[in-house]
Structure formats: structure tokens, C-alpha cells
Amino acid sequence: MRFLQKALAVAGLSLSLGLVAVSAGASPANPVAGTDYKVLDNPQPTDSGLGKKVEVTEFFGYFCPHCNALEPTLEDWVAKQGDKISFKRVPVDFGDPSAAKSPYISQKKLYYTLEAMGKLPEMHKKVFNAIHVQRQNLNNDDAVADFAAKSGLDKAKFVSIYNSFAVQTKVTRATQLQNAYKVDGVPMLVVDGRFVTSPSIVGAVPGAGDTEAALFKTTLQVMDSLVAKAAATKK
């Protein structure tokens, strides 16, 4: 079962997590291509200058309840990787292409504005909390600006950066990456521009986990193996 389908995102609905626990064991320590992860037919270039670091990318959406649930576990995993990886996030947009403007563009702009202001470390979780716990509607520019001001940010500075060419350029680039990787559900994790996995991919393997927390743990064990695999090619 996909964690979040495009159609559900457009409708503003979330997919209930249906996980199956059966007796057959998964093998996250020795993941299998085509089962625990996918190998891209057309690997994407990673950022230059990383040296021996392995680039890890999370495609996510602030609107996604499963991205919100994964965030604490993923954050701990990234911290444990230390200098082995270079981690980045790419916000996605599954808005209706026939609409004049997707409601999720404002959340993409929010992410890149916080990044430009150096406020992501303190604000990233607050955005998730505002949407999924406080049930705030951050689907338009005015609501996002008010949220920033109520969170203690300089509203005038925030709005200036939010509407800047630099932020718009990053939003456009995020869309290009989403299309290049053919992202159809989030959260989705990419290693070295070549290997793709996600809780939905891992969750299709019998025995991957009978709870969301167990599934996240198994997914990140697969990620450990993929990072090691990618690092071996850089030596």
C-alpha cells in the first residue's frame, strides 16, 4: 500500500497505514534490489564537491502525515551517519495540475524560506506540528506569513525572502527533481542518486513490520545497507 498517493494528496486526504505481519522474515541488513529498494534506470547526478560522502535525499511534504511520523526517527538516523552522508530534503507538490495554483506550493516556499533564513533546525518540526497537531491550514501565502510571524520570525523579512527569485528558483528546481525521480508518493528516500526506497516499498515485503515504528526502523536498516553500498564505490 502506498504511503501517499497523488490523488489522495490532491484531495487533501491521508492513507491509513495498512501493514501486514507474517512469519517470513525480511532482510534489511542485506536488501534485495527490486524488493527492498529500486535501482534507477537513469541515475541522477548528485551535487558536486561531496568527496567521499554519500548523498541522501528525502522527498517529503509538510502535508504528509507519514512524513511527519517518520521525521524524529529519520532525524536520529541522519545524526548517527555523521560525516558519512550529505543529507538534503526536497519538498514535493502533488497539487492538481489543472488548478491555477497548487495549495502545496506555499509549503514548498515556506521550506526554502526557512532554509534561506537559517531557521530550519528550529522550525522544521514546528511546521509539521502546526499542520498535523494544531491542525493549522498552511495552504496559502497569507496563512504561511502569519504562521511565521506568530513563530517569532520577522514577518517583513520572511515575506521578502518568501517572494524572492532565489526561493522561486529552488521551488522550480524541486519540481524538476520530483519529475526526474518520478516521485509518486512520500516519504521517499534516495541514496547516491541511484537507489530508491521508502516505507511503502519496504512495507510490501512480508515481515517488514507490524507497526509504523517497526516499519520505519526496517526502512532505515535498508538505508544503512544502501549507504554502505554507495560508499564502497567511492573508495
Side-chain angles (χ1 to χ4, degrees):
M1 183 178 288
R2 300 295 297 176
F3 257 44
L4 185 66
Q5 293 294 342
K6 189 180 299 183
L8 291 176
V10 170
L13 302 175
S14 63
L15 194 63
S16 62
L17 186 65
L19 305 177
V20 179
V22 296
S23 58
S27 56
N30 188 26
V32 177
T35 300
D36 303 287
Y37 68 97
K38 299 177 182 178
V39 180
L40 293 181
D41 293 332
N42 298 304
Q44 299 298 311
T46 56
D47 292 339
S48 60
L50 295 180
K52 293 183 179 180
K53 289 186 179 182
V54 175
E55 183 174 289
V56 174
T57 303
E58 179 202 18
F59 287 92
F60 83 102
Y62 279 130
F63 56 82
C64 169
H66 306 296
C67 298
N68 174 52
L70 174 63
E71 180 58 29
T73 306
L74 179 61
E75 188 175 74
D76 289 344
W77 180 84
V78 171
K80 290 177 182 177
Q81 300 305 304
D83 292 335
K84 291 191 296 183
I85 70 169
S86 174
F87 179 69
K88 68 178 184 181
R89 296 182 176 91
V90 177
V92 303
D93 175 16
F94 291 137
D96 184 351
S98 66
K101 180 182 178 182
S102 164
Y104 301 117
I105 290 179
S106 58
Q107 293 178 16
K108 292 172 71 173
K109 292 174 67 177
L110 169 58
Y111 177 82
Y112 285 118
T113 301
L114 293 175
E115 181 183 65
M117 296 179 72
K119 297 296 184 179
L120 269 179
E122 65 184 80
M123 292 295 297
H124 190 60
K125 290 181 181 178
K126 290 183 179 180
V127 178
F128 274 125
N129 187 72
I131 294 172
H132 298 286
V133 178
Q134 300 174 16
R135 301 300 179 184
Q136 294 186 39
N137 182 1
L138 301 184
N139 288 345
N140 62 75
D141 297 341
D142 290 340
V144 167
D146 288 343
F147 165 75
K150 291 176 181 178
S151 298
L153 302 183
D154 184 309
K155 186 173 182 179
K157 181 179 180 180
F158 178 90
V159 171
S160 177
I161 296 174
Y162 182 87
N163 292 320
S164 68
F165 177 75
V167 165
Q168 184 55 53
T169 298
K170 288 190 174 184
V171 167
T172 299
R173 177 57 178 158
T175 300
Q176 292 171 343
L177 287 171
Q178 180 179 343
N179 292 335
Y181 283 100
K182 299 180 180 179
V183 181
D184 62 356
V186 291
M188 188 179 99
L189 298 160
V190 181
V191 176
D192 200 35
R194 297 183 285 155
F195 309 124
V196 176
T197 192
S198 68
S200 62
I201 292 173
V202 175
V205 180
D210 57 356
T211 66
E212 191 174 51
L215 178 56
F216 290 162
K217 180 180 178 180
T218 302
T219 301
L220 293 178
Q221 286 177 319
V222 171
M223 288 291 291
D224 285 335
S225 296
L226 295 179
V227 168
K229 185 181 183 70
T233 66
K234 293 179 176 293
K235 293 181 179 179

